[in-house]
Amino acid sequence: MMRKVSLLFAGALMGASAMSLVYGVPSTAANAAGSETYKQLAIFGDIFERVRAQYVTPPDDKSLVENAINGMLSSLDPHSSYMNADQAQDMRVQTKGEFGGLGIEVTMENDLVKVITPIDDTPAAKAGVLAGDYIAKIDGQEVRGLTLNDAVEKMRGAVNTPIKLTILRQGADKPLDITVVRDIIKVKAVKFRVENDVGYMKITSFTEKTYDDLENAIAEIKKQIPKDKLKGYVLDLRLNPGGLLDQAVSVSDAFLKRGEIVSTRGRDPKDVTRFDAKTKSNDEIDGKPLVVLVNGGSASASEIVAGALQDLKRATVVGTQSFGKGSVQTIIPLGENGALRLTTALYYTPSGKSIQGKGITPDVKVDQPVPAELQGRDLTRGESDLKGHIKGAEESSQGSGSAAYVPPDPKNDLQLIFAEQLLRGEKTDPSFPPNPDKAVMNQ
């Protein structure tokens, strides 16, 4: 099963989503409900009161209402939901990409919190927390019995406040108590490195900082590789669950000189919004060749980027079928600081294709073998497998998605290796390099 990693400084990722934020009251008034609707609401009120009065144990009124609301929304599609004040705040924190925390990536193993890695120059790293450490207690409270999200929540907190972690470390003869002082953690939405004559950039999510991080990555790669030696770039969107729509547009724009990036279409046929690249003489990577990597973990905002660069013939897409989430959720603030996440539109690639339930089909399919210890487990991820998903216009019986696995060691990463071989001319394919003059546009 794909390793589930929680970023202590971020909490759980926002899920497969392309989101737009609405501040204030929605401008479109709801249609007046008919008499039959009011009768059904009266039945709901009657049931609510009977549950409160007669259920075997006294229920929590707030939970009853929240679960009723979520029941209504989840019946629409898998991505619409109600967020209470805490959940809405978590979402705002995640999309901002900057918050108070310790700076460690963690997972759950053997009922303990295991440190995957401390982030460089963060409070945890400075305090001596090491990769492979197991957190047994948080401020004296046993971790056993807590969920990963519960443990993460306890470790988050206000900046400049201390927290004591009781750690089990291999080779230590007794538990270690380490005090860490929380600080502002800035999550890097883009990780990059130089692979000899190729620039590699991995976008992990689309937060408010993604485009700025991408600009920095491109600039640093240019500093490290002379222009005449630089063969091109790899943009890795695998395992990227999505995020903010405007950031997906900005990232796409960085590699384009012109053209439509994406369009969204709402309930009203006239409700069409188009997002175009800024017209310019050159893109931010100076026209260098670009290969985009996708797999079953590439969803929504990452599919917007891959679809735009593929349709406009700016990049060759390599990997396996993407997740296939082609819907846009609008975040509408509600009273008491809660929020409504509501599916309000579907998005379409420049050629007019809907990705919903279909996904991005790579120009070059390269399967990534699963290691022996994971064989037999279902690593496939796809929108078409989700119960109650919106049926896509391009969706077929084949569905969407594919395996969502990326080897931790680049030496075993066949998709990345193939991308670099394409850029270096060691492999050839009719789709590489793409010809922008043959871009597929919606008429």
Side-chain angles (χ1 to χ4, degrees), residues 109-129:
E109 189 174 294
N110 299 325
D111 295 326
L112 298 176
V113 174
K114 182 180 181 180
V115 178
I116 301 302
T117 183
I119 310 303
D120 291 340
D121 199 33
T122 60
K126 293 175 181 177
V129 177

Side-chain angles (χ1 to χ4, degrees), residues 42-348:
I43 293 173
F44 170 78
D46 184 36
I47 292 173
F48 178 74
E49 290 302 331
R50 288 181 182 274
V51 170
R52 291 181 70 234
Q54 299 177 17
Y55 188 68
V56 62
T57 57
D60 178 72
D61 288 357
K62 184 178 179 182
S63 294
L64 283 179
V65 173
E66 287 186 5
N67 288 328
I69 294 171
N70 269 317
M72 173 180 64
L73 294 170
S74 64
S75 71
L76 300 174
D77 69 83
H79 307 293
S80 294
S81 64
Y82 167 72
M83 294 178 283
N84 61 30
D86 291 339
Q87 293 165 337
Q89 177 59 22
D90 283 346
M91 183 276 299
R92 286 188 284 268
V93 164
Q94 291 166 28
T95 56
K96 187 177 180 181
E98 180 178 305
F99 19 77
L102 307 184
I104 53 177
E105 294 182 9
V106 296
T107 188
M108 208 74 175
E109 189 174 294
N110 299 325
D111 295 326
L112 298 176
V113 174
K114 182 180 181 180
V115 178
I116 301 302
T117 183
I119 310 303
D120 291 340
D121 199 33
T122 60
K126 293 175 181 177
V129 177
L130 303 179
D133 283 348
Y134 287 88
I135 300 174
K137 295 181 181 179
I138 302 170
D139 279 335
Q141 180 180 348
E142 291 281 352
V143 167
R144 292 184 191 276
L146 299 178
T147 66
L148 181 59
N149 284 340
D150 289 339
V152 166
E153 189 63 31
K154 288 185 177 297
M155 287 186 279
R156 294 160 106 181
V159 173
N160 295 325
T161 59
I163 181 173
K164 185 173 76 171
L165 305 178
T166 300
I167 285 176
L168 307 181
R169 179 176 295 168
Q170 186 174 6
D173 55 1
K174 62 180 181 180
L176 306 174
D177 286 333
I178 297 180
T179 298
V180 185
V181 178
R182 299 177 179 94
D183 201 352
I184 290 290
I185 307 298
K186 295 183 179 180
V187 181
K188 287 293 183 184
V190 181
K191 299 178 181 179
F192 69 93
R193 63 177 182 267
V194 165
E195 297 276 359
N196 297 317
D197 52 1
V198 171
Y200 171 84
M201 302 174 293
K202 180 177 179 61
I203 300 180
T204 58
S205 62
F206 288 86
T207 71
E208 292 178 10
K209 297 184 176 297
T210 299
Y211 176 68
D212 290 342
D213 284 354
L214 178 69
E215 276 194 314
N216 178 67
I218 293 171
E220 289 299 319
I221 289 170
K222 287 181 177 180
K223 287 180 183 178
Q224 296 181 42
I225 309 177
K227 187 174 182 178
D228 60 335
K229 303 291 185 184
L230 181 58
K231 299 293 186 183
Y233 295 79
V234 175
L235 181 66
D236 193 349
L237 299 176
R238 294 173 298 175
L239 305 184
N240 183 321
L244 298 175
L245 174 60
D246 67 326
Q247 289 292 308
V249 171
S250 295
V251 166
S252 302
D253 189 19
F255 303 106
L256 297 169
K257 294 191 289 185
R258 66 185 67 84
E260 179 182 308
I261 293 171
V262 67
S263 63
T264 64
R265 305 177 193 179
R267 177 172 169 175
D268 187 334
K270 298 178 182 178
D271 184 12
V272 178
T273 303
R274 301 184 187 279
F275 299 86
D276 297 319
K278 301 181 186 73
T279 301
K280 43 192 178 289
S281 59
N282 210 351
D283 59 46
E284 294 190 24
I285 59 171
D286 305 317
K288 290 285 186 180
L290 178 66
V291 176
V292 176
L293 298 180
V294 298
N295 67 6
S298 307
S300 205
S302 56
E303 292 175 291
I304 289 174
V305 175
L309 298 179
Q310 183 183 57
D311 279 4
L312 297 178
K313 302 298 181 184
R314 179 59 186 93
T316 298
V317 179
V318 171
T320 55
Q321 198 79 8
S322 65
F323 188 87
K325 180 183 174 294
S327 60
V328 178
Q329 283 65 52
T330 298
I331 307 300
I332 304 168
L334 301 174
E336 303 298 326
N337 296 319
L340 171 62
R341 184 201 303 261
L342 189 65
T343 299
T344 54
L346 297 177
Y347 67 76
Y348 294 78

Side-chain angles (χ1 to χ4, degrees), residues 363-419:
D363 299 302
V364 187
K365 182 181 180 183
V366 179
D367 289 311
Q368 178 62 54
V370 176
E373 63 270 20
L374 295 179
Q375 288 180 4
R377 303 183 186 181
D378 184 12
L379 297 177
T380 302
R381 301 288 181 270
E383 173 79 7
S384 59
D385 295 325
L386 297 181
K387 183 180 179 180
H389 76 280
I390 298 171
K391 184 79 172 179
E394 309 280 339
E395 186 173 344
S396 66
S397 58
Q398 185 176 352
S400 64
S402 61
Y405 172 73
V406 177
D409 189 342
K411 294 179 181 178
N412 301 322
D413 191 340
L414 299 189
Q415 294 167 339
L416 174 57
I417 291 170
F418 186 91

